Amino acid sequence: MANCPICKKAPPDPAYRPFCSRRCADVDLQRWLSGVYAVPGEPVEDSPSDHEE
């Protein structure tokens, strides 16, 4: 079984799988929320009607 994808040191804990701890799970969540992880795609342009409501 692979080690934790964040710290790479410990095996996964079933309660936080695939992470070894709540700390590593929270680090991963913060990376998603701050935009460190991103799904590539085409840029989206804002249209004027999006902001007029």
Side-chain angles (χ1 to χ4, degrees), residues 19-53:
F19 309 106
C20 65
S21 66
R22 176 158 186 152
R23 180 200 163 278
C24 285
D26 287 346
V27 167
D28 184 70
L29 177 61
Q30 179 58 37
R31 289 178 182 177
W32 277 107
L33 296 175
S34 65
V36 173
Y37 299 146
V39 178
E42 296 296 320
V44 177
E45 294 182 27
D46 289 338
S47 63
S49 62
D50 288 345
H51 300 288
E52 292 179 3
E53 294 183 293

